[in-house]
Structure formats: structure tokens, C-alpha cells
């Protein structure tokens, strides 16, 4: 898609000061960051600690993080792209025309593109247990038969249900669980061997940054997904559930800039391609929502305060994670924090994210 950035290097001292200030101000216990281009990782670093209760253990480059909604672009979006490039995903046909479960219900009239742009009009709140109980099959049926919140195409409204539905669609089209298929088709072939859905095994959980305090147990979630909908579904769904490291995410973003550049052996035998191709990334990283606001591509959205001309695309995770991709500059960036350890307040981390993006994506 693009050539590696030439003669550019981020101001690592300013980045370190910015992120260290977030530790001092209790925005998050610690952070890991990385910046690179189509040639690979240029630089990165870590500040603070994963767990303030263990101050002797510093944050490390290989610390695992609960990625929260980055699951949407790491898992659902990537597999849908591979299926689209295989000619198996009709983006603009009503999903009920090729998927029996929602056929005959209002959801069957929406398209995959509308779900990917958050314009499908599906209910804004997830409320899985309250509405459908705890049985995964009943939840799936309830979600796929739910009445719409508004007509499709009328507004851009971010909702976790869009990713949940598309995760179910992946499973219908592939005949495999989402976690298994994305591992075999995307992550293993790219060499992203630290990336997986939880719950994490004990050894991996021990090097995972803990998230929010579970009031019921009195312990912080660590190695078990923070998102309650994902926990209800056993840790695997389109909303959340993926854990990863900054290095693995750098491999992934590098691939999106230059498909095949970081290809490794392994993965599903006989796979013709690794990951997704340039066509899917180009299709996704353009404004798909017309005059509606906020402007979105396919799952990715433009960074706050920027427009199509800058071409800075991003996705955030509620736990404190973020990715940026700037095809015009041939650049990517990762910032991972466990901010919900301290608080759910958004603005302090938003300010740091915006400042970090200005330092690495301009």
C-alpha cells in the first residue's frame, strides 16, 4: 500500500514525558507504546507498572493487555476483509439474503456495510443478560431478532451490537468459532503468537496488565476479559475478548500498510494469502458515511480533530487501548494502557491520546 517512512523519527523524550505524566496523575498505572512504518517497528517504550500493588514489577514491552474494542478491528474486521476478498461477503446485500438466522426479521434487511459503519440502526445498548438471559444460544437468537432502534442509514451511532452481529456472521460464513478462525487465518500466519482470546492461561495472565476492580470478588480482572458482554459469552465474541502486546499489534499494523511484508510460515495449511490485502484496507480507510456525522470508514474512524485530508485512522478500546494507521505517511502507532484500573473517566486519557497522536502521526 505504501513505502516505509523516510528520514522520520518521533521525539521519544517528549513521548516519554507525556506518558509518564499520565502515570503520575493516575490516568493509568502504566503504558506501552510503539511506532513504526511499513518496514517495521521504529521505536517504542514503556512507563509505569502494570499493577500498582506490585511496584517492583515495571511495565514491559511484552506486557499483555485486554484490548477491549480493538477486538473489533483485530478479529471481526480482519476476517470479514479476508472473506470479502475471497468473494464470500456481499457488503451491500441484505444479510438475510444469505444468512438464514436473521432472515424474516428486521435485522435481515440491513447490510454488512451498514453494520461496519455503525449505521444499521440496531439497538444502542447491549444488555444481553437483562434481555436474553445467560444461555449463549438464546442470546444469539435474541440479538439477531431484535427490533431496530431506528431505520438503517439514518444516523451514525456506535454500538457494540454491530460487532457482535458481525462476529456471528463470521461464524456462519466460515463454519468455525470466531477465535479459531481468526487465529488460523490472520494471527498465526502473521506471527502474532501472543494474540488470543481469553480467558488467558495462568502463565500468560501473570504478565497481563490488570483492569477494573470486580466488586463481587474484590479482585481486579486479570487475564479475564473486562467487558461484561464478552464475559457472559465465555470470553469470545465480536465486541471484546482479545489480549495482545504492542509488538504483535505492530506486526498487524505493518501488514495493513504493506500486505505480505511481514509474512511468516505457519497457520492454516494451504492458505493462499496471509491476513487481508490492500484492497480491503483501502476500502475501509475512506469515509463511508456520506454527509452523516461522525465520519467513519469500515469500523475504523478518523482521529478526533482530523479530517479525510490528514487520513489519520484510529480505533480505541474502553480499557485504555488505541491504534492509529496513517497510510499517506506510511505510519502506524500503538498506545496501550490499563486506565480502567483507576477510573472509567474518559477525558484525561482522551487528552493524552490526542497529544500522543499529534507527536507520532503528524
Amino acid at each position: 500500500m505504501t513505502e516505509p517512512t523516510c528520514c522520520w523519527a518521533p521525539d521519544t523524550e517528549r513521548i516519554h514525558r507525556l506518558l509518564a505524566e499520565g502515570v503520575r496523575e493516575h490516568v493509568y498505572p502504566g503504558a506501552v507504546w510503539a511506532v513504526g512504518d511499513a518496514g517495521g517497528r521504529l521505536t517504542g517504550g514503556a512507563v509505569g507498572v502494570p499493577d500498582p500493588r506490585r511496584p517492583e514489577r515495571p511495565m514491559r514491552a511484552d506486557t499483555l493487555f485486554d484490548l477491549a474494542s480493538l477486538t473489533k478491528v483485530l478479529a471481526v474486521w480482519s476476517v470479514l476483509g479476508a472473506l470479502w476478498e475471497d468473494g464470500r461477503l456481499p457488503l451491500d446485500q441484505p444479510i438475510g439474503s444469505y444468512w438464514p438466522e436473521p432472515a424474516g426479521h428486521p435485522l435481515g434487511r440491513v447490510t454488512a456495510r451498514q453494520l461496519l459503519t455503525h449505521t444499521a440502526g440496531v439497538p444502542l445498548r447491549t444488555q444481553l443478560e437483562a434481555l436474553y438471559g445467560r444461555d449463549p444460544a438464546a442470546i444469539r437468537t435474541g440479538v439477531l431478532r431484535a427490533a431496530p432502534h431506528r431505520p438503517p442509514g439514518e444516523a451514525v451511532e456506535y454500538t457494540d451490537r454491530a460487532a457482535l452481529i458481525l462476529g456471528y456472521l463470521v461464524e456462519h460464513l466460515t463454519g468455525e468459532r470466531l477465535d479459531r478462525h481468526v487465529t488460523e487465518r490472520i494471527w498465526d500466519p502473521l506471527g502474532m503468537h501472543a494474540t488470543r482470546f481469553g480467558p488467558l492461561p495462568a502463565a500468560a495472565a501473570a504478565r497481563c496488565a490488570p483492569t477494573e476492580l470486580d466488586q463481587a470478588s474484590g479482585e481486579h480482572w486479570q487475564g479475564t476479559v473486562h467487558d461484561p458482554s464478552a464475559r457472559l459469552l465465555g470470553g469470545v465474541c465480536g465486541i471484546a475478548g482479545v489480549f495482545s502486546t504492542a509488538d504483535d499489534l505492530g506486526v498487524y499494523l505493518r501488514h495493513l500498510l504493506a500486505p505480505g511484508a511481514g509474512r511468516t510460515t505457519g497457520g492454516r495449511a494451504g492458505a493462499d494469502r496471509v491476513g487481508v490485502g490492500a484492497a480491503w484496507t483501502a476500502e475501509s480507510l475512506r469515509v463511508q458515511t456520506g454527509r452523516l456525522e461522525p465520519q467513519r470508514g469500515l469500523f475504523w474512524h478518523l482521529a478526533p480533530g482530523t479530517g479525510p485530508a490528514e487520513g489519520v485512522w484510529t480505533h480505541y478500546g474502553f480499557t485504555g487501548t488505541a491504534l492509529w494507521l496513517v497510510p499517506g505517511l506510511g505510519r502506524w502507532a500503538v498506545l496501550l494502557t490499563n486506565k480502567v484500573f483507576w477510573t472509567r473517566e474518559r477525558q484525561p486519557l482522551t487528552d493524552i491520546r490526542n497529544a500522543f497522536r499529534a507527536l507520532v502521526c503528524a
Side-chain angles (χ1 to χ4, degrees), residues 8-275:
W8 176 85
D11 188 332
T12 56
E13 290 188 9
R14 289 183 65 187
I15 293 170
H16 181 84
R17 288 198 300 270
L18 170 71
L19 300 182
E21 179 67 15
V23 174
R24 287 191 294 272
E25 294 297 320
H26 282 196
V27 179
Y28 40 71
V32 179
W33 65 279
V35 177
D37 59 18
R41 182 181 184 274
L42 293 174
T43 188
V47 298
V49 296
D51 190 340
R53 298 165 301 179
R54 298 176 174 86
E56 74 282 1
R57 300 181 182 180
M59 192 70 85
R60 294 161 44 107
D62 64 351
T63 298
L64 282 157
F65 286 83
D66 178 341
L67 298 185
S69 281
L70 296 192
T71 297
K72 295 174 174 67
V73 292
L74 263 290
V76 179
W77 175 83
S78 62
V79 172
L80 289 176
L83 292 168
W84 178 73
E85 291 174 336
D86 289 345
R88 298 173 60 191
L89 176 67
L91 276 178
D92 297 305
Q93 288 183 27
I95 60 175
S97 66
Y98 56 90
W99 186 12
E101 287 175 277
H105 301 280
L107 183 64
R109 297 193 290 270
V110 310
T111 68
R113 191 185 300 274
Q114 289 169 332
L115 289 163
L116 282 160
T117 54
H118 293 283
T119 60
V122 298
L124 298 184
R125 299 184 67 185
T126 313
Q127 297 180 297
L128 299 184
E129 184 174 2
L131 292 172
Y132 314 121
R134 300 187 61 84
D135 177 61
I139 292 170
R140 179 172 177 138
T141 298
V143 167
L144 298 182
R145 295 183 179 180
H149 163 69
R150 65 164 76 237
E154 188 175 271
V156 179
E157 295 175 311
Y158 182 90
T159 169
D160 282 340
R161 282 193 179 228
L164 180 61
I165 293 163
L166 289 170
Y168 289 148
L169 176 57
V170 166
E171 294 178 340
H172 166 70
L173 292 175
T174 65
E176 291 186 297
R177 263 192 17 163
L178 176 62
D179 56 337
R180 175 172 294 187
H181 189 80
V182 70
T183 300
E184 293 179 347
R185 181 69 190 265
I186 308 291
W187 299 338
D188 274 1
L190 287 175
M192 298 169 59
H193 300 308
T195 303
R196 57 162 292 167
F197 277 91
L200 298 180
R207 62 184 184 91
C208 181
T211 56
E212 194 170 29
L213 180 69
D214 173 26
Q215 297 296 334
S217 69
E219 297 292 334
H220 287 259
W221 299 109
Q222 185 172 9
T224 297
V225 61
H226 170 266
D227 183 88
S229 297
R231 282 202 309 274
L232 182 62
L233 295 170
V236 178
C237 72
I239 297 172
V242 173
F243 293 80
S244 192
T245 64
D247 281 348
D248 265 22
L249 295 175
V251 168
Y252 181 75
L253 294 174
R254 176 195 180 191
H255 169 77
L256 299 186
L257 289 176
R263 179 169 183 161
T264 68
T265 58
R268 189 176 60 182
D272 294 327
R273 294 193 304 274
V274 171

